[in-house]
Amino acid sequence: MDHDHVSPTDSVGIRREFVTVDDPRWTQCHASTLAVIGGVPVVAWFAGTREGTPDNRIRVARGGRIRTLDTGRAVAHWNPVLAAGPDGALWLFCKAGARISEWVTLVTCSYDGGITWEPVRELVPGDRSGGRGPVKNPPLLAPGGLRWLAPGSTERWGERPRWDPFVDVSDDGGLSWTRFPIPVEHAALTGAGHIQPALWWGASGPVALMRSTEGRAYRSVSSDGGRTWTPAEPTSLPNNNSGLTAVALPSGRVACVHNPAAESWGSRCPLVVSLSDDDGLTWHAGPVVDDGAVSIDPAVPRLLNPGPAPAPGSSSDTAPGISSGTPTDPGSSPGSSPGSGTGFAPGDAGVVTSGVAEYSYPAAVVTSDHLFVTYTWQRRGIVLARLPLADLEPKTP
């Protein structure tokens, strides 16, 4: 990485608005996803008491109205993913299960831009491998519009946690899927591994950029359209073991939205854009999307509870009654020390955190003139930001 990110106050072209904030129907919300259909943003996320509790459901917002997706399952729901499918429909994938290692992937489709949805079904009926299809970022439609590549991963927790990324490939419009692993040299790692790839079509084929326990984002490429992948290797992009997203801009430049900390389970503030002109090998700084100081709506207080406010970028966001970094599950905290003081207590049943000073887990879509980004705002809200492509693309002389 080189140069400094441009602060929100200097990025006058960025527009931000709440999709939802402090909704009384839930306590925390997280993991947004985004599609833009006919110029209209459609946004989904999960919300409930906290991540992993059985009352978490998938919420879908379009045109100012928020609906709850009915899956018929009375378990925790996680990580919705919106994507325009090869058939022209809007697809919505999500995970369901009491534990991450037990995830089942569900899917539904909308043929009216996200207003109504078909009955929910399992993406791969009977699969109990811990989740199939996309886990956070949307599937990538290959040139020609026939092959669909879904970036996935599995998480095995317990005494020796292990995380493994893969790409699910469909050549029949999403009816069936075949899983192809992204090789990970676990013996060379200090933590559990890599998860939640983001995909784009690079100069020589699909490229995957992954969240990792190792302090850097890892990268893999495929030369045969997504069936075989090179072993994951570290890039210069710092990663705090939190979700990232990456998209190719019209020029071929790649934009990644992420938190720039390099500590596993490190601070989720600020949220920034980094840019690459070599398909993700090296990166340079772009604008800051949110640093905790920018005002999105003056009527919304940054802190709900009394007491001193943490400084922007602080990770002192431990929930009341929870020791910072204390496991809530026997297989917690891959790649970090339980006493690291990050304010996140991760485990197979989800991450426990208050959300204070967290601006994270972005999704992004490129339109004709903007990069649309949604992200978690302190687990109290979901923000939609619009960044002009002119501020991200290479400057022409």
Side-chain angles (χ1 to χ4, degrees):
M1 287 285 295
D2 58 0
H3 307 303
D4 295 324
H5 291 275
V6 178
S7 72
T9 53
D10 296 329
S11 303
V12 294
I14 300 180
R15 291 185 294 144
R16 306 169 186 83
E17 62 185 90
F18 284 112
V19 179
T20 183
V21 66
D22 296 336
D23 192 305
R25 291 173 289 181
W26 53 77
T27 307
Q28 290 193 348
C29 56
H30 188 45
S32 65
T33 179
L34 167 69
V36 180
I37 307 298
V40 178
V42 182
V43 183
W45 61 92
F46 69 74
T49 300
R50 67 160 181 84
E51 178 178 329
T53 55
D55 60 348
N56 270 279
R57 295 294 179 269
I58 304 301
R59 322 291 177 164
V60 183
R62 184 189 187 279
R65 181 177 178 184
I66 298 174
R67 299 175 175 87
T68 299
L69 182 69
D70 181 10
T71 69
R73 299 186 181 224
V75 295
H77 291 64
W78 320 61
N79 291 23
V81 177
L82 287 164
D87 57 355
L90 179 60
W91 290 53
L92 173 56
F93 307 83
C94 70
K95 308 300 184 189
R99 292 178 174 269
I100 297 170
S101 59
E102 301 169 356
W103 278 350
V104 173
T105 303
L106 308 178
V107 66
T108 180
C109 293
S110 174
Y111 295 92
D112 54 13
I115 299 173
T116 61
W117 296 90
E118 297 288 297
V120 174
R121 61 179 176 85
E122 289 191 14
L123 181 67
V124 181
D127 184 272
R128 296 298 182 267
S129 62
R132 297 292 300 277
V135 67
K136 180 202 174 292
N137 290 299
L140 175 68
L141 197 60
L146 297 178
R147 176 167 291 180
W148 214 12
L149 310 177
S153 56
T154 56
E155 301 177 32
R156 187 185 73 197
W157 293 72
E159 192 170 326
R160 298 183 66 179
R162 179 181 171 123
W163 294 358
D164 286 288
F166 64 87
V167 174
D168 251 328
V169 176
S170 177
D171 288 314
D172 56 10
L175 295 177
S176 64
W177 299 85
T178 304
R179 182 167 55 191
F180 297 94
I182 296 176
V184 176
E185 190 179 351
H186 282 278
L189 305 180
T190 62
H194 323 310
I195 53 172
Q196 300 174 356
L199 299 180
W200 70 87
W201 204 269
S204 302
V207 183
L209 189 71
M210 291 155 277
R211 162 186 176 175
S212 177
T213 55
E214 306 304 295
R216 298 282 168 179
Y218 274 61
R219 177 183 180 271
S220 176
V221 298
S222 173
S223 60
D224 61 1
R227 291 183 174 270
T228 58
W229 293 84
T230 59
E233 295 185 346
T235 70
S236 65
L237 189 74
N239 179 249
N240 60 336
N241 193 10
S242 181
L244 55 75
T245 195
V247 293
L249 303 180
S251 68
R253 171 175 280 184
V254 177
C256 178
V257 191
H258 67 112
N259 302 117
E263 175 193 6
S264 187
W265 300 110
S267 176
R268 295 186 175 186
C269 178
L271 185 69
V272 305
V273 179
S274 292
L275 303 166
S276 175
D277 293 311
D278 55 11
D279 271 336
L281 286 170
T282 61
W283 297 86
H284 61 275
V288 173
V289 179
D290 201 324
D291 63 358
V294 61
S295 175
I296 297 168
D297 182 342
V300 178
R302 190 164 72 89
L303 290 177
L304 284 178
N305 301 318
S314 165
S315 58
S316 57
D317 55 356
T318 306
I322 299 171
S323 299
S324 179
T326 300
T328 57
D329 183 270
S332 71
S333 199
S336 69
S337 165
S340 61
T342 60
F344 299 99
D348 202 4
V351 174
V352 179
T353 180
S354 71
V356 174
E358 177 181 355
Y359 311 95
S360 71
Y361 234 74
V365 169
V366 177
T367 68
S368 60
D369 53 3
H370 282 85
L371 179 68
F372 281 55
V373 176
T374 59
Y375 60 93
T376 295
W377 190 86
Q378 303 197 97
R379 305 259 172 163
R380 291 166 49 197
I382 303 296
V383 172
L384 171 64
R386 295 173 173 87
L387 290 73
L389 288 184
D391 293 344
L392 303 174
E393 291 281 36
K395 304 301 181 186
T396 54

